[in-house]
């Protein structure tokens, strides 16, 4: 491109290493910072899961690796301590839900894609964006540091229900570990609010000429709505955390009442642990869509691009994102059916929850129809996206069972729930995140990732992921509770020992497979072949920027948008894609506007 | 079979390593644009793999189904549970159909429409008819599911009939106690300020109130003696002063229970407290009342398809009618050791996995016999051993000091 040379001259300020890599305000660099931090957190979370799967697969057996990593205090003789088991489960859940799939996923792709795909030079506020990353990093460091303290990290489950999490007498992890958890999450919420506000403002204000809302790629719609959900729901978690801090430190009784513990009567009365559950799940349920929507957004882009076909039902897809976002705020009670809530209220939550299945189903059907009569190129990103549609369906259908308050009585807090949310949220989002990385790696580093390794990574991950979580439905149906250190106290679970072993084998194979990805990622970053400007033949604006990223994204003026993002294989066109910057011909209809 | 799958997993790993090695043999010879997208061979291979995966996935499902469905919970031992199992079966039928059909389409399309240079994808942006179809069809099915599900829910959460047997299930870290109401069919009042070793549920009766006051007074005396020994102004000194003040306040609260009506002060006397196992008669409605001493627990009785959280500071309830005795279930499951279990199903601390109680469902006569053999609360709190009280409090205090 001629403009590329012209641009070299406008490099008015030289960047130092520090301003470029550390205190960067460039959305592309911040995106990479989020990604790498998220990856490090994910590796830690993944190792934790392998450790507790060792215990669950071979209960009470000794493993030197446990002793090696956790020491004599937490794994004497190589046998995991029950308190440490709960700590691992808790921090694993917290890391995966918040640090990988909220901070890591939204942080990476909102930062990378929003300015790129709407045609903006950067985020509305580069400074706030930088702060958002730094708060995220600080909160990650605090969370990890809690692993190294004497009494161990928070251990009350990622949902940290009081009184268990409020009282150090209840378990060692509820001491300093829980304090650090709360500090870390407060920092995290600040990060997420700074980021979210920025994303919303950027999408509203900085779209380039011609980029109407109905021409936005679905990835941007998803990230935009996600940010709105986050901005509305995270403050509620913040208040829940704040009240918990008060109860722990200042003797207030928001969540505590009538408690006798460790031989002592507590003097706090009048509070209710149920209040915490309401506040927590008022964020907690929207949170699952904060995780899922960006994943769906990425999947929409990758599937349309690689099926060489417009996403089916663009407007219905936007409609369902909005419907899901709205409904996600009025279903939180489905996590609390058996807390003694008024049965009528339970009925209302069953009703609203089941309504969400409708927009979700529309999305699934639309993806499948997008594949129909497509011309599918199986890039690794495409494989991950198809995998994501599969997990979204497999996990979504069991939601229908859990949403039925009557059925939830017997399934609540069993492995059935673990299977459900790992498949629908964990797997879907992780697969989509991988899809996003494989797909946009060229835009991050100007290099290509290795495809063969991508294939090996996909199949090992996909097969072991189902190998881990699919059988857990059966454990749950057998009545096996989650968060049990061991099942050997109950003969009724004896038949499932070998199944647990199988799950653990898959978990370990799956974990090892991720190192293929790590290797591919870092190897390609330095040694991968140089990418071309638009390697996938894609329509969206980021592929009109130069291969080597520059400040301000486009040399010369900003691109002007003339059409929606999905003119793939449009009849009468020479190529099977028509970038958004190509003007409409005489009499040509814009797909996004409907015809 | 499990071994086969484990071997399979290992084979998959070796396959990956083999792939890894191969990559380095022929790295990046091609550098032009077309080398970035998959080759025809790769596309067709991956397309086939999609189809193979689908078959494997279904086979895995089928294997799990055949192998493990017979090992799931036996038929429901409560009346409402039968209803729930039917509802579950109905929902499973629907979601399994949806699951299979959508997966067939997904993977079949992926396989069928693999890339070819000679073909162009069908430019198909939307179809109002299709979209209407797959909004309304799920809506109709969901309507059925909602109506069916909620009618069961309303049925199950209905209040217990008048003549129910009332049992309180009381958890603490890490065990359960069951309390029966005794001759008068009323559970005596209880309060957490009244909890002591002799009175794990804090039942309020004339006897227990007097005893608790004595215990607290003995504690206060003990702490005062300690306070005299402790050096002035130290941490120990402050702690002891605080302990004394706390016990004095508790003493006041306990003393106030003497003001309860005479009837409620005796109603607890005949209550019966049992640990490790409890009995319920077959065919009679049982109303469970739940409280909790310390953190949230959850009373999970999967064989009866029943569960309810136990929350400190509030009371929750749940009721069901047991329909199959333990003996009968042993015969049905062909397992002479079969027991109905109460599990804790809300994370509550280190020994959460080990909080259990056996539930015996027996015929009414056997139940009557069993209950008549149990000690009443009044009998169990009798002779208060001097000095014991202070020991308990000290140990309690020690625990809290260590863990702070
Ligand atoms: C679409 C994306 C979805 C995500 C990301 C998701 C995620 C989750 C998560 C994380 C939990 C467990 C939280 C915990 O207890 O630790 C959960 C539970 C639950 N989900 Fe979903 N879910 C999704 C879809 C659905 C759908 C479509 C339904 C209903 C139609 C549903 C119904 C439920 C219910 C009722 C529970 C509570 C179960 C229980 O705790 O007993 N979910 N989900
Ligand atoms: Cu939810
Ligand atoms: Cu418990």
């Amino acid at each position: 491109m001629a403009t590329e040379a012209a641009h070299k001259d406008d490099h008015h300020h030289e960047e130092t290493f520090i301003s470029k890599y550390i205190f960067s305000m460039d959305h592309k660099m911040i995106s990479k910072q989020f990604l790498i931090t998220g990856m490090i957190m994910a590796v830690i979370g993944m190792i934790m899961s392998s450790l507790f799967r060792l215990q669950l697969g071979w209960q009470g057996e000794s493993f030197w690796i446990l002793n090696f990593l956790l020491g004599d205090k937490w794994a004497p003789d190589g046998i995991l301590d029950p308190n440490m088991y709960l700590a691992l489960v808790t921090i694993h859940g917290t890391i995966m839900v918040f640090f990988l799939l909220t901070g890591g996923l939204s942080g990476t792709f909102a930062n990378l894609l929003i300015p790129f795909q709407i045609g903006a030079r950067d985020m509305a506020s580069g400074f706030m964006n930088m702060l958002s990353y730094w708060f995220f990093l600080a909160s990650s460091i605090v969370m990890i540091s809690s692993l190294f303290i004497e009494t161990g990290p928070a251990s009350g489950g990622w949902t940290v229900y009081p009184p268990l999490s409020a009282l150090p007498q209840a378990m060692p992890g509820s001491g300093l570990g829980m304090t650090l958890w709360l500090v870390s999450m407060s920092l995290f919420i600040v990060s997420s609010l700074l980021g979210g506000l920025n994303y919303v403002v950027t999408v509203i204000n900085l779209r380039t000429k011609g980029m109407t809302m109905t021409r936005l790629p679905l990835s941007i719609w998803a990230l935009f709505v996600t940010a709105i959900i986050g901005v509305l729901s995270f403050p509620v978690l913040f208040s829940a955390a704040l009240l918990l801090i008060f109860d722990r430190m200042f003797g207030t009784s928001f969540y505590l009442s009538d408690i006798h513990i460790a031989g002592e009567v507590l003097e706090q009365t009048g509070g209710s642990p149920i209040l915490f559950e309401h506040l927590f799940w008022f964020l907690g349920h929207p949170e699952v869509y904060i995780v899922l929507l960006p994943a769906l957004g990425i999947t929409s882009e990758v599937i349309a691009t690689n099926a060489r076909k417009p996403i089916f039902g663009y407007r219905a897809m936007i409609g369902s994102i909005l419907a899901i976002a709205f409904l996600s705020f009025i279903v939180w009670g489905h996590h609390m059916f058996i807390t003694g809530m008024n049965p009528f209220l339970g009925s209302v939550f069953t009703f609203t929850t089941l309504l969400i299945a409708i927009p979700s189903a529309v999305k699934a059907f639309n993806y499948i129809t997008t594949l129909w009569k497509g011309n599918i190129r199986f890039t690794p990103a495409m494989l991950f996206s198809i995998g994501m549609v599969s997990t979204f369906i497999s996990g979504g259908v069991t939601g229908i069972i859990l949403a039925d308050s009557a059925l939830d009585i017997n399934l609540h807090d069993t492995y059935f729930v673990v299977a459900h949310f790992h498949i629908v949220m964990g797997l879907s989002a992780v697969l989509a995140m991988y899809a996003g990385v494989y797909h946009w790696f060229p835009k991050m580093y100007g290099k290509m990732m290795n495809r063969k390794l991508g294939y090996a990574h996909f199949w090992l991950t996909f097969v072991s992921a189902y190998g881990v979580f699919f059988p857990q439905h059966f454990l749950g149906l057998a009545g096996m509770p989650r968060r049990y250190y061991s099942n050997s106290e109950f003969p009724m679970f004896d038949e499932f020992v070998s199944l647990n072993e199988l799950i653990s084998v898959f978990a370990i194979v799956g974990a090892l497979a991720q190192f293929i990805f790590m290797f591919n990622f870092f190897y390609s970053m330095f040694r991968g072949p140089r990418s071309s400007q638009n390697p996938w033949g894609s329509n969206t604006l980021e592929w009109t920027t130069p291969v080597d990223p520059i400040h301000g994204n486009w040399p010369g003026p900003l691109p002007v948008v003339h059409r929606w993002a999905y003119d793939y294989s449009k009849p009468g066109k020479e190529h099977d894609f028509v970038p958004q910057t190509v003007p409409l011909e005489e009499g040509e209809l814009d797909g996004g506007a409907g015809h | 079979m499990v071994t086969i799958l484990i071997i399979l997993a290992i084979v998959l790993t070796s396959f990956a390593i083999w792939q890894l090695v191969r990559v380095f043999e022929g790295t990046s010879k091609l550098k032009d644009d077309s080398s970035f997208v998959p080759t025809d061979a790769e596309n067709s291979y991956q397309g086939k793999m999609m189809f193979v995966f689908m078959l494997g996935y279904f086979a895995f499902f089928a294997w799990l189904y055949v192998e493990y469905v017979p090992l799931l919970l036996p038929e429901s031992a409560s009346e409402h549970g039968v209803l729930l199992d039917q509802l579950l079966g109905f929902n499973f039928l629907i979601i399994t159909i949806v699951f299979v059909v959508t997966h067939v389409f997904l993977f079949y399309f992926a396989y069928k429409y693999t890339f070819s240079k000679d073909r162009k994808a069908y430019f198909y942006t939307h179809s109002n008819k299709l979209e209407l179809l797959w909004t309304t069809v799920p809506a109709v099915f969901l309507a059925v599911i909602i109506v069916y599900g909620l009618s069961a829910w309303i049925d199950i959460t209905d209040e217990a009939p008048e003549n129910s047997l009332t049992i309180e299930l009381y958890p603490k870290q890490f065990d359960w106690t069951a309390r029966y109401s005794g001759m008068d069919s009323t559970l005596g009042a209880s309060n957490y300020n009244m909890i002591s070793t002799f009175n794990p549920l804090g039942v309020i009766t004339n006897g227990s109130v007097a005893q608790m006051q004595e215990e607290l007074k003995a504690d206060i005396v003990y702490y005062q003696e300690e306070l005299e020994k402790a050096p002035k102004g130290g941490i120990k000194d402050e702690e002891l002063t605080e302990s004394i003040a706390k016990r004095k306040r508790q003493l006041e609260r306990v003393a106030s229970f003497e003001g309860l009506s005479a009837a409620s002060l005796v109603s607890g006397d005949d209550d019966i407290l049992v640990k490790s196992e409890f009995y319920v008669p077959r065919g009679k409605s049982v109303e469970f009342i739940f409280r909790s001493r310390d953190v949230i627990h959850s009373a999970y009785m999967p064989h009866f398809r029943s569960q309810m959280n136990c929350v400190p500071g509030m009371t929750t309830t749940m009721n069901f009618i047991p329909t199959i005795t333990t003996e009968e279930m042993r015969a049905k499951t062909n397992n002479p050791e079969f027991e109905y279990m109460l599990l804790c199903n809300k994370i509550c601390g280190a020994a959460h996995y080990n909080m259990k109680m056996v539930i015996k469902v027996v015929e009414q006569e056997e139940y009557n016999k069993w209950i008549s053999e149990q000690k009443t609360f009044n009998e169990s709190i009798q002779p208060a051993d001097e000095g014991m009280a202070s020991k308990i409090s000290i140990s309690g205090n020690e625990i809290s000091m260590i863990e702070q």
Side-chain angles (χ1 to χ4, degrees):
Chain A
M1 258 196 189
T3 39
E4 211 165 322
H7 180 81
K8 293 244 158 70
D9 310 325
D10 349 307
H11 251 275
H12 13 256
H13 53 110
E14 266 313 303
E15 284 187 294
T16 61
F17 178 84
I18 301 251
S19 74
K20 180 155 183 221
Y21 293 105
I22 314 279
F23 292 106
S24 173
M25 296 199 219
D26 185 295
H27 73 101
K28 299 179 286 297
M29 184 55 66
I30 295 177
S31 151
K32 290 186 236 177
Q33 291 173 330
F34 267 108
L35 179 61
I36 305 268
T37 314
M39 271 163 62
I40 294 170
M41 292 302 274
V43 169
I44 297 172
M46 189 180 80
I47 291 173
M48 288 179 163
S49 67
S50 303
L51 297 183
F52 64 68
R53 272 316 318 180
L54 282 180
Q55 159 63 18
L56 290 174
W58 298 274
Q59 305 190 356
E61 279 180 39
S62 165
F63 292 93
W64 70 266
I65 180 101
L66 290 174
N67 184 272
F68 176 73
L69 289 175
L70 302 169
D72 286 334
K73 173 156 195 219
W74 297 118
D77 302 322
I79 297 169
L80 192 60
D81 171 84
N83 273 312
M84 195 52 185
Y85 171 81
L86 295 178
L88 288 175
V89 174
T90 301
I91 304 298
H92 161 81
T94 307
I95 286 182
M96 291 306 190
V97 172
F98 292 112
F99 289 85
L100 178 65
L101 296 180
T102 305
L105 180 62
S106 275
T108 304
F109 290 102
N111 269 306
L112 185 71
L113 297 183
I114 289 178
F116 264 157
Q117 292 193 332
I118 66 172
R121 300 230 178 259
D122 206 317
M123 283 290 174
S125 165
F127 181 70
M128 261 168 76
N129 210 20
M130 178 185 81
L131 278 186
S132 159
Y133 172 71
W134 283 96
F135 273 99
F136 177 63
L137 183 67
S139 87
S140 306
I141 291 171
V142 174
M143 188 59 75
I144 297 305
S145 68
S146 76
L147 296 171
F148 299 99
I149 60 176
E150 179 69 28
T151 46
S155 322
W158 78 280
T159 50
V160 297
Y161 285 1
L164 184 63
S165 63
L167 305 173
Q169 304 92 302
M171 66 193 322
S174 295
L176 181 59
M178 188 61 206
T179 305
L180 290 175
W181 192 96
L182 288 165
V183 170
S184 166
M185 283 312 296
S186 305
L187 293 171
F188 182 88
I189 293 166
V190 174
S191 154
S192 149
L193 292 177
L194 284 170
L197 282 172
N198 218 346
Y199 307 151
V200 174
V201 171
T202 307
V203 173
I204 292 178
N205 290 316
L206 297 186
R207 279 168 291 130
T208 187
K209 190 153 175 273
M211 183 59 92
T212 56
M213 290 305 271
T214 48
R215 280 178 179 161
L216 281 180
L218 288 171
S219 46
I220 300 301
W221 265 105
L223 290 164
F224 174 60
V225 173
T226 301
I228 295 175
I229 302 177
V231 168
L232 294 178
S233 62
F234 267 113
V236 179
L237 180 66
F238 190 67
S239 58
L242 208 60
L243 300 187
L244 186 52
I245 291 173
F246 287 171
D247 274 7
R248 290 166 53 84
M249 316 255 263
F250 309 124
T252 55
S253 35
F254 292 104
Y255 306 135
L256 305 177
S257 190
D258 297 18
I259 293 170
H260 184 286
I261 192 163
E264 292 269 325
V265 164
L266 295 192
E267 299 194 300
Q268 281 132 315
T269 54
S272 165
I274 302 299
L275 169 64
F276 179 87
E277 295 189 26
H278 280 296
L279 293 175
F280 182 88
W281 287 113
F282 188 84
L283 157 95
H285 190 84
E287 166 64 23
V288 308
Y289 290 98
I290 290 175
V291 167
L292 196 80
L293 288 179
L296 289 168
I298 291 171
T299 302
S300 305
E301 288 318 292
V302 174
I303 286 191
T305 306
N306 289 297
R308 312 309 290 157
K309 193 164 172 287
I311 194 83
F312 182 77
Y314 173 74
R315 288 185 172 233
M317 292 299 235
I318 298 175
S320 54
I321 290 175
L322 293 172
I324 288 174
F326 171 72
L327 289 171
S328 74
F329 279 99
I330 51 171
V331 301
W332 80 90
H334 64 220
H335 298 275
M336 300 169 62
F337 284 137
I338 54 161
T339 53
M341 71 161 53
N342 182 322
F344 175 71
L345 193 56
S347 312
V348 173
F349 281 121
T350 292
F351 178 71
T352 54
T353 305
L354 285 171
L355 282 186
I356 286 205
I358 298 174
S360 308
V362 168
K363 293 201 84 90
F365 291 137
N366 283 2
Y367 286 132
I368 294 175
T369 314
T370 305
L371 294 181
W372 177 65
K373 292 199 175 179
N375 203 10
I376 302 169
R377 282 183 333 210
F378 289 105
T379 61
M382 184 62 171
L383 291 176
F384 276 100
S385 294
I386 294 175
M388 186 277 186
V389 176
S390 163
T391 55
F392 180 54
I393 297 171
S394 306
V397 290
T398 53
I400 292 178
I401 302 238
L402 293 171
D404 219 319
S405 45
L407 297 178
D408 190 54
I409 295 173
N410 207 46
L411 291 172
H412 179 71
D413 264 338
T414 65
Y415 268 93
F416 194 86
V417 175
V418 177
H420 159 71
F421 76 79
H422 275 95
I423 293 178
V424 76
M425 167 165 97
L427 296 190
S428 299
V430 167
L431 294 178
M433 193 167 172
Y434 279 131
V437 173
Y438 280 104
H439 193 73
W440 280 292
F441 191 84
K443 279 277 72 114
M444 292 183 171
Y445 297 102
K447 304 270 173 63
M448 304 300 291
M449 284 179 82
N450 184 292
R451 206 160 55 235
K452 287 257 163 38
L453 288 179
Y455 291 150
H457 173 220
F458 170 73
W459 286 110
L460 280 173
T461 305
F462 194 47
V463 169
S464 24
Y466 270 134
V468 170
F469 296 112
F470 205 78
Q472 292 184 354
H473 293 113
F474 293 84
L475 299 182
L477 289 168
M480 189 184 285
R482 68 196 276 209
R483 295 166 172 170
Y484 265 27
Y485 164 72
S486 153
N487 303 305
S488 51
E489 294 298 326
F490 294 90
M492 61 192 273
F493 303 130
D494 285 352
E495 312 266 22
F496 294 92
V497 170
S498 60
L499 195 56
N500 258 324
E501 196 173 315
L502 177 73
I503 291 172
S504 291
V505 170
F506 274 120
I508 291 162
V509 171
L512 292 175
Q514 306 318 304
F515 290 102
I516 302 179
F517 169 77
M518 292 287 164
F519 173 79
N520 195 355
F521 186 87
F522 289 107
Y523 181 84
S524 308
M525 193 157 131
F526 297 107
R527 309 279 303 273
R530 191 180 146 84
S531 150
S532 63
Q533 194 183 23
N534 188 0
W536 315 126
S538 196
N539 290 342
T540 38
L541 295 180
E542 74 273 28
W543 305 105
T544 61
T545 61
V547 177
D548 296 313
I550 55 170
H551 241 335
N553 297 340
W554 285 270
L558 288 175
V560 176
V561 167
H562 296 282
R563 56 180 74 235
W564 74 334
Y566 299 103
D567 274 343
Y568 290 107
S569 304
K570 198 169 192 179
K573 300 288 177 189
E574 188 194 340
H575 292 293
D576 62 359
F577 67 107
V578 188
Q580 286 188 279
T581 47
V582 176
L584 291 171
E585 284 164 38
E586 275 283 310
E588 186 185 353
L589 283 172
D590 185 13
H595 38 196
Chain B
M1 186 66 200
V2 171
T3 3
I4 295 178
L5 282 167
I6 292 176
I7 292 170
L8 191 79
I10 293 165
V11 170
L12 279 172
T13 322
S14 350
F15 165 75
I17 293 166
W18 175 69
Q19 284 277 359
L20 222 126
V21 174
R22 259 193 26 173
V23 167
F24 293 102
E25 288 166 5
T27 345
S28 55
K29 269 176 246 142
L30 304 155
K31 282 270 163 83
D32 65 294
D33 239 43
S34 64
S35 73
F36 297 145
V37 291
T39 62
D40 290 348
E42 281 171 333
N43 275 326
S44 108
Y45 180 67
Q46 295 299 329
K48 285 183 193 128
M49 286 286 280
M50 283 277 148
F51 198 75
V52 172
F53 175 81
M54 178 186 82
L55 298 179
Y57 189 17
F58 289 160
F60 188 48
F61 184 14
W63 171 71
L64 285 166
Y65 191 91
V66 171
E67 196 82 350
Y68 287 101
V69 166
L71 305 178
L72 301 184
L73 293 169
E75 82 181 81
S76 170
S78 70
E79 208 163 75
H80 77 261
V82 177
L83 199 71
L84 277 193
D85 286 353
Q86 282 162 1
L87 178 64
L88 188 67
F90 171 74
N91 280 17
F92 260 119
L93 184 70
I94 292 181
I95 69 168
T96 309
I97 293 171
V98 173
F99 166 76
V100 172
V101 171
T102 48
H103 272 81
V104 167
F105 279 120
L106 176 68
F107 288 116
Y108 177 69
F109 288 165
Y111 158 75
K112 171 105 195 281
Y113 298 108
T114 299
F115 191 82
S116 145
K117 276 190 277 307
D118 313 325
R119 199 157 51 81
K120 220 171 175 183
Y122 174 35
F123 187 80
Y124 188 43
T125 57
H126 71 287
S127 151
N128 291 343
K129 251 194 245 151
L130 273 181
E131 282 162 281
L132 197 66
L133 178 78
W134 53 61
T135 314
T136 46
V137 170
V140 169
F141 275 100
L142 286 170
V144 177
I145 288 177
I146 291 174
V147 171
Y148 187 3
L150 288 185
S151 71
W153 169 247
I154 288 164
D155 222 51
I156 293 161
T157 53
D158 215 5
E159 274 170 28
E162 276 297 317
N163 62 346
S164 300
L165 167 68
T166 305
I167 301 178
E168 179 180 51
L169 284 178
Y170 189 81
K172 72 173 207 318
Q173 288 177 326
F174 295 98
D175 59 31
W176 295 92
T177 307
R179 175 160 70 127
Y180 292 77
S181 54
M183 305 297 285
D184 63 352
S185 308
T186 327
L187 288 169
S190 60
N191 187 286
Y192 70 107
N193 282 294
M194 293 287 298
I195 292 171
S196 72
T197 349
F198 305 102
N199 190 2
L201 272 58
V203 179
I204 303 176
T205 62
N206 284 316
S208 69
V209 171
Q211 194 189 36
M212 191 70 201
Q213 284 173 321
E214 255 169 53
E215 272 184 34
L216 286 168
K217 282 177 192 158
D219 268 7
I220 293 170
V221 170
Y222 171 83
Y223 283 123
Q224 263 157 354
E225 280 167 11
E226 288 288 296
L227 185 60
E228 253 130 63
K229 282 184 247 161
K232 289 277 158 289
I235 296 181
K236 184 92 181 155
D237 182 71
E238 224 172 84
E239 261 174 24
L240 288 168
T241 317
E242 175 53 29
S243 294
I244 293 168
K246 225 179 133 179
R247 280 180 180 62
K248 283 191 173 154
R249 290 194 292 269
Q250 189 179 354
L251 190 59
E252 262 169 49
R253 294 193 292 268
V254 169
S256 76
F257 297 138
E258 283 173 342
L260 292 176
S261 75
S264 60
L265 279 169
V266 293
S267 145
D269 278 333
D270 62 350
D271 287 4
I272 289 163
L273 273 59
V274 295
K275 283 204 178 269
S276 74
E277 62 175 25
F278 69 96
Y279 280 56
V280 290
R282 193 212 6 209
K284 180 156 182 182
S285 168
V286 186
E287 179 179 32
F288 290 97
I289 295 183
F290 310 96
R291 293 184 297 134
S292 167
R293 181 197 282 196
D294 38 35
V295 301
I296 305 178
H297 302 265
S298 185
Y300 184 35
M301 298 177 254
H303 301 104
F304 305 94
R305 315 293 188 258
S306 177
Q307 180 173 203
M308 182 51 74
N309 287 169
C310 313
V311 186
M314 67 188 255
T315 308
T316 51
T317 63
M318 179 78 151
N319 62 82
F320 63 75
I321 304 175
T323 51
I324 302 174
T325 63
T326 301
E327 280 308 317
E328 285 165 349
M329 195 54 109
R330 285 180 177 171
K332 277 176 197 274
T333 55
N334 245 331
N335 173 4
E337 260 131 52
F338 176 87
E339 296 287 6
Y340 294 119
M341 297 303 295
L342 165 67
L343 298 82
C344 177
N345 197 16
K346 185 63 80 188
I347 182 173
C348 63
H352 166 53
Y353 69 97
N354 190 13
M355 253 183 87
K356 61 189 171 191
M357 216 171 171
V358 171
I359 309 164
K360 296 268 188 202
V361 180
V362 294
E363 299 295 354
Q364 185 75 43
E365 306 90 73
E366 198 185 338
Y367 169 78
N368 294 344
K369 179 164 166 291
W370 174 81
I371 196 96
S372 66
E373 288 163 357
Q374 305 304 312
K375 262 199 201 164
T376 63
F377 176 69
N378 199 28
E379 285 161 2
S380 71
I381 59 166
Q382 286 317 320
D385 173 359
E386 275 300 312
M388 193 59 182
S390 49
K391 265 189 229 145
I392 295 148
S393 309
I394 296 161
S395 62
N397 202 34
E398 261 168 16
I399 294 169
S400 56
M401 282 196 315
I402 289 166
E403 303 201 343
Q404 254 149 27

